[in-house]
Amino acid sequence: MLLRVPGILTPNEVSRARELLAGASWSDGRATAGEQAAVVKNNEQLNPESEASRLVSELVLYALNRHPDFFSAALPKKISPPLCNRYGGSTNTYGSHVDSAVRYVGAMRVRTDISCTLFLSEPGDYDGGELEIEDLSGNQTAKYAAGDVVLYPGNRVHRVTPVTRGQRYACFFWIESMVRATEQRQLLHGMDRELIRLRTTLGETDSGVVALTGTYHNLLRMWADV
């Protein structure tokens, strides 16, 4: 399951993030990789303690918190602080790997139910650099507009293909969801989107809308861990 949520960042916010990244000091991305991933990781990252990283992280978290479809899809309990990476030149790829099951952020622990990439470069700014996620139905590919985010299960093998022209900037982070199972989150997200459509056409007080809303919340109450 791969889900695109468009327009998390506005064009002005993308420009601000790019300004911050343009003047930042980058280092070897392997510093934050696990033992297995470090063998295939060849990109650059910002030090999460740097001012640029902190400001971009705050910008992204603010944008995520105001976006209703992101909340509906992810049902976040915890979000790891977004990190920034760059692909291009001689540091241009990340081979096949699986994300660690738990991220340790200071005293906080985040179970990686959902992996997320927020694109900060337009697709035409670089060649290659596709995010490829392995799935039972075949590989799925993401290379989206700046400001868009892609969500996918954290247990999937994935990779970033080599960037052969230009530079690919992005943020990446992980979510521990209130609803752990991917299939349950998909069902709830689909119901929520249908409820929005029905409210628009039938109104809040329609008996069918009220009944379906009750079913949604009863399922969420059954499955959510808060």
Side-chain angles (χ1 to χ4, degrees):
M1 174 245 182
L2 178 155
L3 179 66
R4 177 184 187 177
V5 183
I8 291 290
L9 295 184
T10 68
N12 286 340
E13 288 170 333
V14 170
S15 295
R16 175 59 177 156
R18 289 295 301 270
E19 287 173 4
L20 291 166
L21 298 183
S25 178
W26 296 84
S27 57
D28 191 333
R30 288 174 293 184
T32 59
E35 185 174 339
Q36 182 188 59
V39 177
V40 295
K41 188 175 187 179
N42 183 30
N43 66 1
E44 294 179 301
Q45 286 181 202
L46 286 188
N47 183 335
E49 302 300 321
S50 68
E51 182 180 12
S53 181
R54 179 179 59 81
L55 291 173
V56 173
S57 178
E58 290 175 356
L59 178 70
V60 171
L61 287 173
Y62 176 80
L64 293 173
N65 285 331
R66 71 172 182 234
H67 203 290
D69 198 43
F70 168 80
F71 182 87
S72 174
L75 295 170
K77 180 179 180 181
K78 299 177 187 175
I79 302 177
S80 69
L83 302 172
C84 302
N85 60 18
R86 179 173 73 175
Y87 292 80
S90 61
T91 51
N92 67 344
T93 190
Y94 196 166
S96 298
H97 65 284
V98 178
D99 292 335
S100 300
V102 178
R103 295 288 300 183
Y104 298 88
V105 186
M108 181 174 71
R109 292 167 174 79
V110 180
R111 189 182 65 236
T112 58
D113 298 326
I114 304 171
S115 298
C116 306
T117 296
L118 192 152
F119 295 88
L120 295 173
S121 298
E122 296 294 351
D125 292 344
Y126 58 99
D127 293 336
E130 291 85 3
L131 173 64
E132 291 185 347
I133 299 120
E134 294 186 11
D135 191 78
L136 294 176
S137 59
N139 290 353
Q140 300 187 62
T141 301
K143 185 177 180 178
Y144 297 148
D148 292 0
V149 70
V150 58
L151 287 68
Y152 56 98
N155 61 0
R156 295 289 192 267
V157 175
H158 58 284
R159 67 192 66 85
V160 176
T161 65
V163 173
T164 58
R165 177 188 64 85
Q167 291 184 321
R168 175 194 189 269
Y169 291 87
C171 283
F172 60 102
F173 52 97
W174 292 269
I175 296 169
E176 180 176 325
S177 179
M178 292 185 288
V179 176
R180 185 170 185 168
T182 300
E183 296 79 6
Q184 293 171 349
R185 288 196 307 272
Q186 286 178 310
L187 176 61
L188 289 168
H189 185 219
M191 288 183 67
D192 190 42
R193 297 181 79 166
E194 184 64 14
L195 274 167
I196 292 171
R197 186 188 69 81
L198 290 174
R199 288 191 187 105
T200 301
T201 57
L202 302 177
E204 293 284 353
T205 59
D206 177 82
S207 60
V209 172
V210 173
L212 186 58
T213 301
T215 300
Y216 172 88
H217 285 286
N218 285 333
L219 288 172
L220 182 58
R221 189 176 291 112
M222 184 188 305
W223 293 333
D225 175 16
V226 297

